[in-house]
Amino acid sequence: MNLKKQKWVYLFQEGSRNMRDLLGGKGAGLAEMSAANLPVPPGFIITTEACNAYDESKGKFPSYMWDQTINALKQMEVETGKGFGDSSNPLLVSVRSGAKVSMPGMMDTVLNLGLNEITVEGIAFISGNRRFAQDSYRRFIQMFGRIVLNIPGDTFEQILDDCKQRNGLWSDTDLTTVHLEEIVQEFLSLVKERTGKDFPQDPLEQLDLAIKAVFGSWNGKRAIDYRNFYKIPHDLGTAVNVVAMVFGNMGNDSGSGVAFTRDPATGNQILYGEFLPNAQGEDVVAGTRTPASIAEMASSMPNQYRELVEIANRLESHYRDAQDMEFTIERGKLYMLQTRVAQRTAQASIKIAVDMANEGLISKEEALQRVDPLQINNLLLPRFDDVAKKEAIKSNNLLTIGLNASPGAASGKAIFDANRAEALALQGTDIILVRPETNPDDVHGMLHAKGVFTARGGATSHAAVVARGLGKPCVAGAEALKIDLRIRKCTIEGHTINEGDEISIDGSTGEVFLGAIDTIEPIISKEKELNILLGWADEIRRLGVWANADDPVATQRALDFGAEGIGLCRTEHMFFEEDRLPWMRQLILAASEATRLEEELQKLQIDASNTNQSSILKEQLTKQENKVAGSEDVKNFHESLRRFLQFQIQDFKEILGIMTGKPVIIRLLDPPLHEFLPKYEELLVDVTTLRLTGGDPSLLAKQEKLLKMIEEMREQNPMLGLRGCRLGILYSAITQMQARAIFTAACELIKEGRDPQPKIMVPLVAHANELRIVRHELELVAQAVQEEQNVTIHYKIGTMIELPRAALTADEIAPHAQFFSFGTNDLTQTTFGISRDDAEEKFLLKYVEQGILPENPFQVLDRAGVGKLMKTSVDLGRKANPGLEIGICGEHGGDPSSIEFCNNINLDYVSSSPFRVPVARLAAAQAVLTSHQLGLDFTDV
Ligand code: ADP
Ligand code: MG
Ligand code: MG
């Protein structure tokens, strides 16, 4: 590459559209505004490539970059009629970082660069305002000292405060020119003391150091952490923007402000923002003075307001999206200092997309792509009532703003340890778990808390990751939070909070409040724009969107959210209910012995019917018949089965009834049976205590039997043990009971004129024979029930594909199945050989942090491994059985990236949790739009 020719520096007017990669977001915006003849102060941009070259050479500017910078500076001098370092009419500049994507963690802006002992006099002369000049100089030393020279900001603040105190003054604005001159001298000595060098007086040296500081900040820790979290590549680099200063603090015909082309909170179409007369931009941000609403500018500065409105409209139609603009007015003249796509709440994002499509500014397809599906999730999470929150802010109850680590809002009592949080929550108290940081020992507290609030840790901290997984709000890394665990108190910015005091956290914004704030649970039918957007999504998507629901409440919710079927109804949850668990225990305790006795009897009966009955056989048969008839276990087993039959008929009737006309996939009992029994260790303690204290003998006998049973059932590796269809094959009476319940429920509904569509799903099939056997079993029951009731049911039988062997032999399994559903939770566990419960808390998060795995494969489907098995399975399965219907019911069914993959491998539907149904509807539409844009065509397989 010819380095001399390489262009490292662009004047604003030299930039053009689509140069964001090279010029960064801020630079590209300034260049585009210049090109459109909007009022932008003169300036130039040093490219992101220069930043990368600087990094590669370990801190040296690339050749000719500096020469080009000097040339650009000269051009600025011409345009402004000022001179950089000129004693009579000095040019001052701001130095601003600006990567391609807006990134907190990058260097702060340095204003007023170019000031020194000499130029400060020039500014005083030109402005006719000595105080202004000195104030600008002290601000510059302060900013440069903090940002470029890394001197702690509070050492400067201390000097300021001391001066005010000495002179009995309240605010910065009370400082006179003389005070400011004193402060400047003290600042200069501070710099000398801290750096061992004089404050750089040469403006070019100032510029050189500032540019290096911007470049260096690209690889600062905060910036790297941020990029890791948001998966932003590390080789983008940041640009440096050098902009001629304009002054909003030159009197009452000057000022600074921020404006949004639409309200970023609601999406309403009004110019929204804040304006501070006689102030520099930093004053607006610093919050030392309360800015006025931008609407007030209409009366105080009507001409500038009109110009601003016009510019806002032009920018919005140019960028075809809502913009966030920074501007300054210097002595009546308006300057634009930044424009970028406005950050917005979920609500605003959806409203703006829908409005813009209705206004014809963008197409419906674009509107669909403008909204991040996960934002919909946030919109449907509990949030603080707007009025109540404003009230809380007004009453000074906003304690601090930490990192918005997991969205949603919650109020509760502040509790400082997990055990106490759990205990109180179990008594029905709402808890916010407040910790310095969390680790796996705190998870039980997090599970029971309404929200989590920590002092340390970023967006990938344990607290953040776990809270997001649990769908609970979390504010993390609130540095102001100091917890004293010994005395059970914490302080935040001077407020003391005792354990048990009520606090509120907003995980979507990071705000933490004292006291409780009313929360609202959004109701989807009331979200007008959301429903319009989802309607458009439904027109475009190819995938069906179903939901996982285990009970009538969840089923109804799924339907309300737009689910077209139930993709997974897990029956085991029905066994856990309090009034049923004793029956379940009875069933389990009796199952093995009862099944053994009955099977022996059956064998004898078959033998007896086949051969000429010998008297020995006959005798054996009678003996066995008596054994069965007299067996307590057989009695208990069938009694509990009968109970469950009744329970389950009711359960299925409700769910199938709600979903009338729509498919409901019911999965047969799946988990290992020990899950329904007490924990071995706990029971052991119980029994031992009973023995030692000579407790109730009949209770002791019962508990001892249970203990023995549990002992026998103990497995080294229960997730790979007796569960899934293995259980149903071993204890076929359970399978038959479940089938009878499903078919009976369906018959009863049909007689009531409804249209139940049950589909029975066999879990954990590894070998085609397993499905063949269970299917046969199910069909016998179906036939019997239909005959008894004289009703025809439209049912289907299929299987879950959740083991690699099943995926690889899908062609052998498919002839026995009418549908497949990918159980990607187990499929991910068995493909990786990772037990999720053990891994997520121990090493999986580390793996993700260290980049060993790109994502947590339990959240985002692993396309290369698990995905390949799925694709194989789809291809093999459809070849063997063209009518096979295929969906996914793992948690991935609600994750946008995984949904895209499911679209691409041509599944028929995805099934997610009910709350994720709207997310999935949008994500499924986006998957189609992306595949069209990529020119992919998956639809005709
Ligand atoms: P951020 O990326 O944090 O928004 P900016 O680089 O936009 O930082 O700078 C912050 C603020 O500094 C701007 O909003 C503006 O008010 C002020 N500022 C930056 N450059 C100038 C300038 N050349 N003249 C006047 N004010 C400026
Ligand atoms: Mg800015
Ligand atoms: Mg499973």
Side-chain angles (χ1 to χ4, degrees), residues 123-130 331:
I123 293 290
F125 177 73
I126 296 269
S127 64
N129 186 339
R130 245 195 113 66
R331 290 183 167 159

Side-chain angles (χ1 to χ4, degrees), residues 692-712:
L692 290 176
T693 58
D696 176 3
S698 75
L699 181 65
L700 179 61
K702 216 173 111 198
Q703 298 295 72
E704 277 177 333
K705 183 175 176 198
L706 191 59
L707 186 68
K708 187 162 159 275
M709 194 73 213
I710 296 176
E711 221 162 4
E712 277 167 18

Side-chain angles (χ1 to χ4, degrees), residues 26 96 109 326 337-338 340:
K26 197 177 282 166
R96 316 164 67 184
T109 294
E326 292 169 4
L337 292 174
Q338 186 170 341
R340 64 180 160 199

Side-chain angles (χ1 to χ4, degrees), residues 347 379-380 383 522-531:
Q347 190 193 345
L379 182 68
L380 297 173
R383 56 176 184 253
I523 299 169
I524 189 166
S525 59
K526 296 206 176 138
E527 304 288 336
K528 184 170 138 241
E529 277 85 12
L530 175 61
N531 285 309

Side-chain angles (χ1 to χ4, degrees), residues 563-633:
E564 297 156 310
I566 297 299
L568 176 64
C569 174
R570 294 174 298 179
T571 48
E572 54 269 18
H573 287 240
M574 304 170 178
F575 297 112
F576 275 116
E577 278 167 37
E578 221 179 285
D579 54 334
R580 303 183 181 184
L581 205 52
W583 293 107
M584 188 60 191
R585 292 197 172 150
Q586 172 170 328
L587 184 119
I588 295 168
L589 292 180
S592 150
E593 180 63 9
T595 308
R596 193 182 62 77
L597 288 172
E598 290 189 326
E599 275 176 3
E600 262 169 40
L601 177 63
Q602 224 175 2
K603 234 169 54 213
L604 288 168
Q605 283 167 338
I606 292 170
D607 287 351
S609 66
N610 282 347
T611 52
N612 300 331
Q613 296 190 15
S614 73
S615 59
I616 303 178
L617 197 58
K618 219 169 159 183
E619 208 174 291
Q620 274 183 335
L621 188 60
T622 323
K623 217 166 120 196
Q624 188 68 17
E625 275 168 354
N626 291 338
K627 240 194 203 167
V628 169
S631 156
E632 197 65 15
D633 283 327

Side-chain angles (χ1 to χ4, degrees), residues 257-489:
V258 186
F260 294 80
T261 57
R262 306 195 184 209
D263 184 334
T266 61
N268 288 340
Q269 202 183 358
I270 46 155
L271 188 70
Y272 178 93
E274 291 179 328
F275 180 69
L276 201 54
N278 195 11
Q280 272 198 322
E282 52 176 309
D283 302 325
V284 181
V285 186
T288 39
R289 286 162 59 192
T290 312
S293 138
I294 203 148
E296 283 174 34
M297 247 181 95
S299 49
S300 61
M301 292 192 179
N303 292 337
Q304 290 80 357
Y305 183 74
R306 222 172 299 128
E307 192 184 355
L308 185 64
V309 169
E310 199 179 299
I311 289 172
N313 290 338
R314 277 183 63 189
L315 285 174
E316 194 178 88
S317 38
H318 175 74
Y319 286 104
R320 304 167 69 245
D321 200 352
Q323 297 292 301
D324 155 358
M325 303 159 296
E326 292 169 4
F327 65 93
T328 285
I329 296 168
E330 177 182 308
R331 290 183 167 159
K333 170 136 183 53
L334 172 71
Y335 291 96
M336 301 306 293
L337 292 174
Q338 186 170 341
T339 187
R340 64 180 160 199
V341 171
Q343 297 277 350
R344 60 202 79 175
T345 62
Q347 190 193 345
S349 162
I350 292 164
K351 178 159 169 54
I352 290 171
V354 170
D355 284 352
M356 284 191 166
N358 286 335
E359 289 158 22
L361 195 56
I362 57 176
S363 66
K364 281 184 191 177
E365 285 79 7
E366 282 175 295
L368 286 167
Q369 284 173 303
R370 287 280 170 88
V371 178
D372 178 350
L374 294 176
Q375 281 190 313
I376 297 185
N377 203 35
N378 294 355
L379 182 68
L380 297 173
L381 288 171
R383 56 176 184 253
F384 288 135
D385 176 59
D386 273 348
V387 179
K389 180 159 148 178
K390 284 209 180 100
E391 205 52 49
I393 293 174
K394 241 180 104 199
S395 327
N396 263 328
N397 283 340
L398 177 58
L399 293 171
T400 187
I401 301 182
L403 184 79
N404 52 339
S406 173
S411 296
K413 289 191 190 311
I415 298 295
F416 301 146
D417 77 79
N419 291 339
R420 196 177 282 203
E422 181 184 32
L424 285 167
L426 288 173
Q427 292 166 20
T429 314
D430 289 349
I431 300 298
I432 305 289
L433 181 65
V434 182
R435 297 284 299 161
E437 62 198 330
T438 65
N439 62 45
D441 293 338
D442 297 313
V443 172
H444 59 294
M446 300 174 77
L447 274 169
H448 287 94
K450 291 276 168 201
V452 182
F453 175 32
T454 68
R456 288 196 291 271
T460 51
S461 65
H462 179 269
V465 175
V466 174
R468 280 197 298 272
L470 294 171
K472 299 200 172 181
C474 173
V475 174
E479 282 158 23
L481 170 64
K482 309 268 181 280
I483 309 176
D484 192 332
L485 291 172
R486 289 165 310 136
I487 55 169
R488 301 203 161 266
K489 267 185 202 307

